[in-house]
Each structure stands twice: as C-alpha cells, then as structure tokens.
Amino acid sequence: MEANTRTLQDVLHGDRRFVVPVYQRPYVWEPERQWEPLWNDIEATLTRLAEVRRSAHERQAPASEADKNASPHFLGAVVLEQYPTPTGDIDMRSVVDGQQRLITLQLLLLGTLDALDASGVTGPMLAKLRKLTRNDTDIVSGDALHKVWPRPAERGDYLRAVASDAPPEDNSVFAAARTFFSNAAAEFLEDEGAPEDPYTDGPPAIRQASLLVSTLLGLVKVVVIDLEDVDDAQIIFEALNARNTPLSAMDLVKNLLFMRARAEGHDPEALYTSVWHRFDKDEAWWRQKTGAGHARRARQDWLLGDWLIAQLGRIINVGRLYGEFRQWLDTSGTDPVQALVTLNSYADAYESIHGRKDGATETERQSFSTIDRLNITVATPVLLWLLTEPEERIPQQERAMAFKAIESFVVRRMAVRWQTRGYSRAFAELLGAAQKSDLSPGRAIVRALRQGPYGYSWPTDEELVRRFRKSRYYGAGGINQDRLRLLLGAVDRELQRKPSKSEPVKIEYDQLEVEHVIPQSWRKYWPVEAAGSDAHEKIVLEQEREAHVHLIGNLTLTTERLNNSLSNDPWKEKCRQLKKHSRLCLNTLLCENSRWNEEEIEKRGEWLAKRVACIWLGPDAESWE
C-alpha cells in the first residue's frame, strides 16, 4: 500500500480513468451535507490564498513563493486499485473508496467551467480545468474520454450531466450537483467584494477567476492510497466507509462478495447484471426502512439477516450483521458467486411474499401478511427458506400447510396473550427441524410446532375458549386495538363469505374502531340493578360488571362516526343504530340478543373463540395430517 497527498491537478492530469466497480453503492452526496460545505471550504481556501498572494505581491515576491505558504483544503482519502491494462492503453484504476469525492469533483469542475464560460472568461484557465475532466481526444474516444466512470446503473444520468450542454438540474442528482456548483461559482464571480488575484491583469471577473482556478488546481488535495491486494482493499474500504454517509451492512456485503468474485476471475459486470441489478433498479423499495424502534432497518438489511439466519440455522446478532456474515463466509468455505446466487433467490422469495412478483400463492402471502402485521419478523427466515426449496423436496401443498401452521401458531398465541420474548430461539429451532428433515420439511414444521419449539406451546381450542370467556382484552393487560381488529375482522370476514342474497360488500376492517357494547363509563349510563337496597349485592354486581366490560365478548367493530353516535346509548338504542348503519355480520348476530349483560358477554366470548379456532386451526386439527 502506498499513500500520498496529491493536488487535484496531480490526480486528474494526463490521460487516465477512475472506474467505479459495479458493486459500489449509488452516488449519495447531497447539497446540505456535502456540496455546500465543500464549496464553503473552497471559498475559505481561496481567501487564504488571496491573502498570502497580496502580501507577497506587495513585497514584489513571485506568486510561486506565496503559494507555498497557502494552507490547502484536504478533501479526504481516495483508495485505488490498479486495473491490469494492455501495454499502450491509458492508466486505469478501480475506485475502492472515494467514488463520492471523485464524482463530486468532476461535477464541481464542470459547474465552475459553466460559470467561467458564462462570465466571458477564456484562454488557458479554462483549458487547464477542462484537462481535468476529459482525456485527450487524439488518444482515446467514446467512453474512455471520461476520467471518472460510474457504476453501470448510473452511467446514463452521469453522461447526460457531464455533456457539453448541461441538462436541467432536475434531470438527475448529477445534473443537480453540476448546477449547484455552477451557481455557486457564478455568485462568487459576480460578487464585487470577492478576493482578486494581484498577479493577474484584467477586469475583476478575470482576477477572481484566476484565484478560483489556482485554488482548485493546487490547493484542493486528497490522500491517494494505491493498493494491490483485494483483501487489503476490503479492509481499507470498511475502515473508511463511514467518513460521510455510512454504508449499510448490505453495501459492505456486496463489496466483499464482488471483490472476492473478481479475484477468482469472474466478470463483475456480468455478475452484477445477473444477480444484483435488482437492488439498484428498485433502490427506493429495497432501502426503505421498515420495523419499529431499534429494530427499524432497510428492507435489504432485513433480507440479508433473514438469509444469513437460514444459512446458519441459528439466531444472529443483528447489531453486527456484517461481522456475522464475514465470519460465516470465511469459515464456511462458501464460494462468493454461490453466495450471491443464493442471496438473489432469497430476494426473489422476499419480493414474492410482498406481492411484487410471482412465486408465493395468494394464501401464502396472506399468511405472511398476518404474521408481519403481528411484527413476528423472526418467522420470516423460515418462510423464505420454504419458498426457496425446490418443489420436489417441498410440494406446494405441503409448503402452504407449513405457512398456515406458522400463522396459526403466532395468531393463537397472540389471541391467548402468551409472550413472544423467546421467539427468535423458537423459530431458529423450527428452521433447524425443517432443514434436518430428509423427507417432509413442511410436516416437520407442523410436528415441531406441536411439540412446542423452545418450550412455546401452540394453544388449543379449549385454551382459546377459556381465555375469551374470562380474560381482559382491552386496555392495560389486554392486546392493542390493531390486533383486536385483526381477530374481530377475521371473524366477520368469514361470516360475510357465507351464501347470502345480499350484495357482496368490501369492508376495510383496518379503518374501523373497537366499540364497547356495555360502555366504559357504565357506572353512569349502564348502572347495575340490585334487588332491593342490598348494598353488598350491588358491590358484587359492580365488580362483576367491571370485570366483564373489557372482555372480548363485549367488543365489536364500527366506523368512527357510528362509534361516536352509539357512545353510551342503552342496549335497545345501540341495536337499532347497528341494524340501521352497520354492514357487519358480526353486529347483525350481536343484535339478535334481546338483552345484554355479563352472561351474554361470556357466551359471545366463547362463540368468538370457536370462530377464531375455525379460522386458525389448532394443533389437533386433522388437516395437518
């Protein structure tokens, strides 16, 4: 490794190319965080140069002597790896780290050239800057004219942005950068109070331009690190990646795999096109963050973690996801190309369960949607593994059965309010049981769920009934309203599917609100009636009502407007309003009761439990056989 401090002129002068590998991340620098601070640094450096030149000029010393005392601006490090090129071809370097700087510097130079052209500056100053943006047309042609050559996914936008006629700034981020620097340079050249070069003759714009060009050529410096060994390149890359916009774990994995694949003689561009282009093509979707709280991560990092868990068959430390991956790659002997191919197949499965491409059935997508709604992310590696296994090992019918069994397991446990704290270990055990099964992985999952992975049981119908009859489901100690909507909405959806003479309706259950039949403020509007004036009996009845008001049997779904309208109305009036305005079968059946009290609440709780048990079959169901 060789490291040297170079001026911009040293780095870009002459015929050479800096090629950004296909596996690098996109260009991500932006105005507030990088472009504006860079221009401010250049103006500050330019001001320092003006001061030392003015002092030297007054002493009649040469400009070269003054420039030695001017403090430069260090832009950071650029890590390069020599590309093997035929004798006589121009020098080519692979940009291991620093593509953001090199691309930005090209756009800075072009923007400055635009401003100089517009201000009427001509002659050697423009020629010097142009030599830093283009190779000699007498020596090379076509793409080789460009000193910096970005990733394939961005070349179209980049070529339009660096063309002779700059495109509108909204054409791409590259065009926006060129416009930003053009405007900044123009503003400087139009500023009557801006510093001027005392060694240059001519109008103020020429003297200002001379100072700006001198600063760019000689006082903007980078540390150029030249490497030869691929592993050294990756280590340096990892050490420097967080200098500006931190890389994700997926970005680091991509660089490591492609570097190793290239070292083994594979064509990075062909490999990128076949197994990685999808992540850049749909970058916005893959990089969108999902999850809640500390578990919020980009989809591509979720995919990486799920894939790695499936490869290891155990839980991982997501806080050091890249470290876990590199350790696995180093110790497993996995070929980097095979790792890329397998990861790509998991990406197919990931998109299919999200409904973005074929691969999963509608039933399987619905199962995943329910599991995802419950935020049981640790189940995803199992589901992805099932989708990536060949059909001769897991027939589609058996795979669907495994999906439904996992869905039932997590929904029933939620419905009886059992803990989820150890789910990562439970699903790691489940995955291991499936992967070790030689004949029937789908049935192995059902068997493992019945046996209780990590000691976590699969609730029976009886346990559902017992909980629904007597346990609190609303508020403290219950489950959140989204999960109540899930359960009650699923029951109504099944009721709606029964043959009927009425027109079919589409109901958005997620938009409904949970309504208490006996209101929460029951003491004022639904007081208990004790026989005679027995105070003790009244206290007992009030305690019983308080214990029943938040049971699931006392809950239903309504629209927000109907919920506000019903409020604390008595039973008969609530029934009248529900019959008039609600299209839910759940409420139609509710209103068949001539009265509403604690006994009816428990009966309805048991009825709801049995309906839920029919939707999400329990461990004893014959259909699992």
Side-chain angles (χ1 to χ4, degrees):
M1 180 179 72
E2 183 179 353
N4 294 285
T5 301
R6 305 289 189 193
T7 66
L8 203 53
Q9 188 170 21
D10 291 335
V11 175
L12 298 172
H13 187 70
D15 298 311
R16 58 189 60 182
R17 298 189 76 201
F18 301 93
V19 180
V20 179
V22 295
Y23 47 84
Q24 288 276 16
R25 63 170 166 175
Y27 179 76
V28 295
W29 277 21
E30 53 193 31
E32 293 79 11
R33 295 186 60 194
Q34 286 93 15
W35 303 346
E36 187 174 345
L38 172 59
W39 183 258
N40 291 339
D41 288 336
I42 288 171
E43 283 205 356
T45 306
L46 180 151
T47 301
R48 295 194 298 269
L49 177 62
E51 290 173 355
V52 297
R53 281 194 174 183
R54 183 170 54 251
S55 176
H57 189 263
E58 290 173 354
R59 302 192 317 269
Q60 296 185 341
S64 58
E65 180 181 318
D67 292 357
K68 292 179 181 179
N69 298 317
S71 300
H73 169 62
F74 286 94
L75 187 53
V78 175
V79 184
L80 305 173
E81 185 180 15
Q82 183 69 51
Y83 256 134
T85 54
T87 303
D89 281 9
I90 64 173
D91 182 56
M92 290 181 63
R93 304 292 177 90
S94 174
V95 183
V96 175
D97 188 68
Q99 65 139 325
Q100 309 288 331
R101 294 176 182 82
L102 287 174
I103 290 175
T104 302
L105 287 171
Q106 287 291 290
L107 298 166
L108 164 65
L109 292 170
L110 289 165
T112 302
L113 283 166
D114 294 338
L116 293 173
D117 279 330
S119 66
V121 176
T122 59
M125 282 190 289
L126 269 68
K128 288 179 181 179
L129 288 186
R130 284 203 173 94
K131 283 183 176 294
L132 305 189
T133 65
R134 286 284 184 118
N135 291 318
D136 194 333
T137 56
D138 292 333
I139 297 175
V140 295
S141 61
D143 296 340
L145 288 171
H146 301 281
K147 289 186 179 289
V148 177
W149 194 230
R151 307 175 317 136
E154 298 176 302
R155 285 174 189 167
D157 286 342
Y158 181 78
L159 286 174
R160 286 186 288 273
V162 300
S164 299
D165 297 324
E169 64 176 302
D170 59 357
N171 185 273
S172 69
V173 65
F174 304 114
R178 179 172 176 173
T179 301
F180 173 88
F181 290 116
S182 175
N183 292 338
E187 186 177 341
F188 168 75
L189 294 171
E190 293 167 3
D191 183 359
E192 295 180 356
E196 300 174 10
D197 184 1
Y199 290 95
T200 300
D201 296 327
I206 297 296
R207 295 159 66 88
Q208 291 167 344
S210 175
L211 209 57
L212 175 57
V213 172
S214 296
T215 300
L216 292 175
L217 291 174
L219 292 181
V220 175
K221 296 186 176 183
V222 294
V223 176
V224 179
I225 302 173
D226 286 301
L227 303 172
E228 294 181 357
D229 183 77
V230 172
D231 285 335
D232 285 347
Q234 177 66 13
I235 292 170
I236 295 293
F237 177 81
E238 292 171 17
L240 296 177
N241 84 85
R243 182 179 300 276
N244 287 286
T245 304
L247 291 171
S248 67
M250 192 70 150
D251 290 322
L252 290 166
V253 165
K254 173 179 63 174
N255 278 272
L256 178 61
L257 289 175
F258 273 88
M259 282 184 179
R260 291 194 176 182
R262 194 187 73 189
E264 293 179 4
H266 297 280
D267 178 1
E269 294 212 12
L271 199 56
Y272 170 85
T273 301
S274 63
V275 298
W276 202 273
H277 176 62
R278 67 187 312 150
F279 297 111
D280 291 333
K281 180 182 177 183
D282 296 324
E283 180 187 352
W285 190 80
W286 281 109
R287 289 182 179 269
Q288 183 179 357
K289 291 188 176 182
T290 63
H294 68 279
R296 189 169 175 79
R297 300 198 299 276
R299 282 195 181 98
Q300 62 180 17
D301 287 343
W302 279 111
L303 168 66
L304 177 62
D306 294 339
W307 169 66
L308 188 55
I309 289 171
Q311 307 312 301
L312 291 167
R314 63 168 175 81
I315 61 174
I316 62 172
N317 182 346
V318 295
R320 55 181 305 271
L321 185 53
Y322 174 68
E324 290 265 21
F325 167 79
R326 182 156 188 166
Q327 182 180 12
W328 167 76
L329 188 67
D330 289 339
T331 57
S332 67
T334 302
D335 175 76
V337 173
Q338 185 56 45
L340 284 165
V341 170
T342 308
L343 178 58
N344 188 55
S345 70
Y346 272 72
D348 284 338
Y350 193 87
E351 287 199 64
S352 71
I353 59 174
H354 282 85
R356 287 170 55 86
K357 65 182 304 179
D358 294 336
T361 66
E362 188 56 39
T363 300
E364 289 165 343
R365 288 188 186 120
Q366 183 58 50
S367 291
F368 168 73
S369 177
T370 301
I371 296 166
D372 189 53
R373 181 171 174 176
L374 297 179
N375 199 33
I376 311 299
T377 57
V378 291
T380 309
V382 185
L383 304 179
L384 294 180
W385 181 83
L386 286 166
L387 285 167
T388 55
E389 286 297 293
E391 189 168 357
E392 54 267 25
R393 185 174 186 209
I394 309 180
Q396 197 281 315
Q397 186 176 0
E398 184 181 327
R399 189 181 75 192
M401 178 186 69
F403 267 70
K404 292 300 293 182
I406 293 170
E407 180 190 0
S408 170
F409 177 81
V410 298
V411 170
R412 280 179 169 242
R413 286 185 60 86
M414 176 274 291
V416 298
R417 299 165 30 223
W418 286 351
Q419 71 172 1
T420 62
R421 193 174 298 114
Y423 268 13
S424 58
R425 296 188 181 277
F427 280 95
E429 281 189 22
L430 197 64
L431 178 62
Q435 291 178 332
K436 292 172 186 175
S437 174
D438 294 330
L439 298 177
S440 184
R443 296 188 183 281
I445 284 177
V446 174
R447 287 196 298 271
L449 290 173
R450 282 173 162 172
Q451 293 167 4
Y454 196 59
Y456 281 10
S457 301
W458 188 355
T460 63
D461 295 359
E462 292 74 17
E463 285 163 327
L464 279 174
V465 169
R466 184 164 56 251
R467 287 280 183 166
F468 275 38
R469 279 182 63 90
K470 294 291 187 180
S471 295
R472 180 181 180 127
Y473 274 81
Y474 189 94
I479 61 178
N480 66 45
Q481 292 198 37
D482 182 62
R483 296 183 174 188
L484 286 169
R485 281 191 289 268
L486 171 65
L487 294 173
L488 295 173
V491 171
D492 187 76
R493 188 180 292 110
E494 286 299 307
L495 293 172
Q496 298 281 355
R497 289 173 181 165
K498 289 187 174 182
S500 171
K501 295 181 180 180
S502 302
E503 300 85 354
V505 294
K506 183 178 181 181
I507 300 171
E508 298 292 341
Y509 295 98
D510 293 348
Q511 305 301 316
L512 301 181
E513 292 192 349
V514 177
E515 158 75 356
H516 288 73
V517 182
I518 294 181
Q520 297 185 73
S521 52
W522 59 268
R523 291 179 184 274
K524 181 177 180 181
Y525 297 100
W526 283 52
V528 298
E529 297 179 3
S533 58
D534 190 332
H536 175 71
E537 181 185 357
K538 184 177 182 181
I539 291 174
V540 171
L541 291 174
E542 286 181 341
Q543 289 175 339
E544 185 178 1
R545 175 150 297 180
E546 184 64 31
H548 281 74
V549 71
H550 294 307
L551 301 188
I552 197 168
N554 190 49
L555 305 176
T556 190
L557 297 175
T558 67
T559 63
E560 181 182 5
R561 290 183 64 186
L562 183 54
N563 193 356
N564 293 335
S565 173
L566 294 172
S567 188
N568 301 308
D569 287 342
W571 172 238
K572 287 185 178 180
E573 178 59 21
K574 281 198 173 188
C575 279
R576 189 184 71 80
Q577 293 283 349
L578 287 171
K579 289 177 181 178
K580 181 178 180 180
H581 298 291
S582 178
R583 296 184 178 182
L584 299 188
C585 295
L586 195 67
N587 291 332
T588 300
L589 293 175
L590 175 65
C591 290
E592 290 180 357
N593 292 279
S594 59
R595 57 177 185 161
W596 194 252
N597 55 26
E598 289 74 12
E599 181 182 356
E600 299 303 323
I601 288 172
E602 289 191 22
K603 286 181 180 178
R604 185 166 177 269
E606 181 174 344
W607 174 81
L608 285 171
K610 290 177 179 179
R611 300 308 308 171
V612 168
C614 290
I615 297 168
W616 290 285
L617 300 177
D620 300 327
E622 294 181 359
S623 60
W624 304 127
E625 300 301 330

